[in-house]
Amino acid sequence: MRAVRAIYQNHQRHWVGDGFWVQSLFSHMGEDKGTNPFLLLDYGAPHYFAPHSGHPRGVGAHPHKGFETVTIAYQGEVAHRDSSGGGGVIHEGDVQWMTAGSGIVHEEFHSVGFSQTGGTLEMVQLWVNLPAQHKITPARYQHLPKSLIPWVDLSNQAGWVRVIAGQYGEMAGAAKTFTELNVWDILLKGGAAATLAVPETHQLSMVVLRGEATFNQKQTAVAGDLVGFEQDGGSVSITAGDQDVKLLLLSGVPIDEPVVGYGPFVMNTAAEIRTALADYNQGRFGHIHSGKEAP
């Protein structure tokens, strides 16, 4: 079995802009939790927002370079626009996979409809590193609607796996990626058990989003916990508590390169960070074109 290395908890939450109330479960700017090639994960646990008639809550235009951002909407709606021309509303169950690459400017707000009606917002934002050869790739935007993300039933009717990226058995994920990695949504029914495996070359982490799960019949984690595993190969057994468990599995081949981060930029050297700042200040990341919110 692939052993649990540690279970990490961070119950502190903070605002990103005025629309996302999140807890940071790991970051390339802090202690290494063995999440390479994933850089950062902010989890916005379910939070109710009252109806709002003013400017939508969220985060205004800001740059990124050198990596990808992935937004998974579990409840509520987020509207996105960027300088590559990408945009749209990320509805419940949808995923946005944005490649910042050589540079992009984007914004994310509660959708107009969600702002008007109010409701519960639950989401994950994940940063995925790019290897040096792809850090200057042209920016692009992948909108992955819920209907196009494949899912596979677990054996014994224990639950299901939704393959956002990577490979689960014979099922390929919806997202196009630059390196070998997996991003899976997992639902395990209350009292059920399942065994999951990823390639031995992958580093592996799981986030518990709902419920309580026991790993390898030994360690138990609850909602909001990050579970890190040793890179020693083997499968992982998961047993749900009395209630259904929702998990986000992240695994991938580590990118064995230096990581130098400065705010919204992640490059390989300090000199590249200075270039990124200059490029942004000189308008080389482009601009967001005004217009109506995409459907």
Side-chain angles (χ1 to χ4, degrees):
M1 304 296 283
R2 187 184 282 240
V4 172
R5 181 181 65 252
I7 297 176
Y8 304 98
Q9 298 176 327
N10 179 15
H11 299 300
Q12 295 184 342
R13 301 179 73 177
H14 64 276
W15 285 101
V16 176
D18 63 356
F20 307 104
W21 182 229
V22 305
Q23 58 194 105
S24 296
L25 297 185
F26 63 81
S27 170
H28 59 293
M29 301 301 290
E31 179 184 358
D32 177 32
K33 294 183 172 67
T35 59
N36 189 352
F38 303 98
L39 296 167
L40 173 149
L41 188 144
D42 282 347
Y43 175 45
H47 182 81
Y48 176 75
F49 288 89
H52 181 67
S53 58
H55 190 277
R57 300 179 179 94
V59 183
H62 60 282
H64 289 300
K65 183 176 182 177
F67 62 101
E68 301 182 287
T69 70
V70 180
T71 301
I72 307 171
Y74 291 105
Q75 297 184 75
E77 294 180 351
V78 178
H80 167 95
R81 290 192 304 178
D82 66 50
S83 57
S84 78
V89 175
I90 310 164
H91 299 91
E92 182 174 317
D94 293 352
V95 176
Q96 165 212 287
W97 199 293
M98 186 187 77
T99 303
S102 58
I104 199 168
V105 178
H106 81 138
E107 63 181 24
E108 291 181 304
F109 291 98
H110 296 183
S111 71
V112 172
F114 181 77
S115 297
Q116 292 173 346
T117 62
T120 298
L121 182 67
E122 180 186 10
M123 52 78 69
V124 160
Q125 183 160 101
L126 178 68
W127 290 12
V128 182
N129 200 12
L130 288 171
Q133 64 178 323
H134 295 304
K135 284 188 179 293
I136 56 172
T137 195
R140 73 181 187 192
Y141 178 80
Q142 298 178 71
H143 177 70
L144 309 176
K146 179 180 179 180
S147 61
L148 295 184
I149 300 175
W151 56 276
V152 181
D153 286 326
L154 293 169
S155 60
N156 300 318
Q157 299 182 326
W160 47 256
V161 174
R162 195 169 76 124
V163 191
I164 296 171
Q167 192 85 20
Y168 180 83
E170 298 300 316
M171 184 64 72
K176 297 177 181 178
T177 67
F178 286 86
T179 61
E180 183 182 325
L181 56 84
N182 291 312
V183 179
W184 303 343
D185 270 335
I186 300 165
L187 183 131
L188 193 59
K189 295 178 182 178
T195 300
L196 300 174
V198 300
E200 293 186 2
T201 54
H202 285 207
Q203 293 205 105
L204 171 65
S205 301
M206 296 189 207
V207 178
V208 182
L209 303 175
R210 306 268 183 88
E212 178 180 290
T214 299
F215 298 88
N216 300 332
Q217 293 80 49
K218 294 179 180 179
Q219 294 98 333
T220 298
V222 298
D225 288 353
L226 171 71
V227 184
F229 294 85
E230 300 287 357
Q231 194 172 351
D232 54 7
S235 56
V236 176
S237 72
I238 310 169
T239 304
D242 294 337
Q243 305 297 319
D244 291 355
V245 171
K246 284 188 67 175
L247 303 132
L248 178 64
L249 180 146
L250 308 171
S251 78
V253 176
I255 297 173
D256 188 19
E257 296 173 354
V259 173
V260 179
Y262 181 81
F265 310 124
V266 181
M267 304 300 292
N268 298 113
T269 68
E272 290 172 338
I273 292 291
R274 291 191 290 272
T275 299
L277 282 165
D279 287 346
Y280 170 63
N281 289 331
Q282 293 171 21
R284 293 175 181 156
F285 288 10
H287 303 279
I288 299 173
H289 297 293
S290 60
K292 294 184 179 180
E293 179 182 73

